[in-house]
Amino acid sequence: MQLSAVLLLLSGASVAEGFQASPATITPRHRPQQLSRLYSSPEDGASKVEATSTESVQRPRIVENHRRSNDPSPLDLMRMMGTSPRRVFLSALTSTFIAFAANFFGITSNLLSTLPESFAEKTGLDSFYPRGDYKRVTVRGDTGQGKCSFVIPKDWVADTSLALAQAQRRAKVLDYSMKSDQMGVLPDAAYGPPGKTDMQGLSNRETNVSVIINAVKDFTLKGTLGSDPKAAAEILLANRPKPTTLISSFEEVRGENKIPIYQFEYTVDRGERAPPLRAISVIAGSLAGDAFVTLTVVSLDKAWTGQADDSLRKIAESFKLLV
């Protein structure tokens, strides 16, 4: 009995010691942390807030980057459409070239308008695309001599009746019964407004510009017609069948080759049957002396006002020999 009592007392003591030791073992694990949370310093709180805010800011970024990584890239989209960056570049380049070549919406003409007129003339681009309100034409004689160029309004067209008359004249050359004086003199080129009237109200019947290139030998402007432009103009106008009145005349040097020209303005009286005409003629001789070139711009006398007057004078002022 004594031994059992002693064992019972020893077991009770151990149990009591276990209950007393449990707070010591539990408290270091849980209670100090609770106390540190309750009695933490302000600096610790600020750092904890910053850490919390940092976590709250970083988490959406991680999610956003994760979403973007799942989105298809432009290269993936091109592959899904069966194309590639090279094809897209070549398509854009080809479309741009076609737009400029076709003068789509007048972009080529607008671009030429920003460039100097001398540059457009040297490159010959104004012969294919209008530069502003004008386009350049080039005329050469039947035998290749007396090449010249000038500008005309962009809506003017070549005279189709002249092309027909030239074809008929070439056909009549084969008929030996025809005399040379019956064929007359035809211009080498002629241009005028389309239809009855153009946008400026100029009539196609009375308004046109024509070029006549005569093959000659040893021709010089001053040596053949004299050094006085007015006297030369009077000589040429005296051969016209209808009365003319000289208004003005002058000499000028034009073109890269510095070829002299005579320009004179005059009116033509057609009597009571038709209103009078006004014309400007520009004459020049080739450097080789094998061509005598005449350009004439003509329209009704009353039409030489305002914008129409500027357009008609622009044609005469732009005339120059190339060879």
Side-chain angles (χ1 to χ4, degrees), residues 174-243:
L174 301 176
D175 188 358
Y176 295 100
S177 62
M178 295 293 297
K179 296 181 179 180
S180 60
D181 56 353
Q182 292 179 350
M183 291 186 285
V185 178
L186 291 176
D188 292 273
Y191 302 89
K196 294 183 179 181
T197 57
D198 64 355
M199 295 183 297
Q200 300 174 0
L202 296 175
S203 173
N204 185 18
R205 188 172 183 178
E206 288 89 6
T207 304
N208 64 80
V209 54
S210 60
V211 177
I212 300 176
I213 301 176
N214 297 312
V216 292
K217 292 183 180 181
D218 301 329
F219 177 84
T220 60
L221 192 63
K222 294 184 178 181
T224 306
L225 298 177
S227 59
D228 185 7
K230 182 177 180 181
E234 291 175 349
I235 293 173
L236 295 174
L237 295 177
N239 297 324
R240 296 184 63 91
K242 297 177 182 179

Side-chain angles (χ1 to χ4, degrees), residues 67-135:
R67 291 178 180 177
R68 287 183 179 179
S69 63
N70 292 333
D71 293 338
S73 64
L75 185 59
D76 295 333
L77 294 175
M78 292 182 185
R79 289 175 179 174
M80 288 188 291
M81 293 186 294
T83 184
S84 64
R86 179 175 176 271
R87 290 182 179 179
V88 173
F89 173 75
L90 292 178
S91 299
L93 184 64
T94 303
S95 302
T96 303
F97 175 78
I98 294 175
F100 277 100
N103 197 18
F104 190 63
F105 287 122
I107 57 176
T108 309
S109 298
N110 294 334
L111 178 61
L112 286 178
S113 300
T114 61
L115 300 176
E117 184 176 357
S118 58
F119 173 81
E121 181 181 354
K122 288 181 180 179
T123 57
L125 292 175
D126 55 351
S127 299
F128 299 96
Y129 308 103
R131 182 183 179 275
D133 296 330
Y134 300 92
K135 58 184 177 182

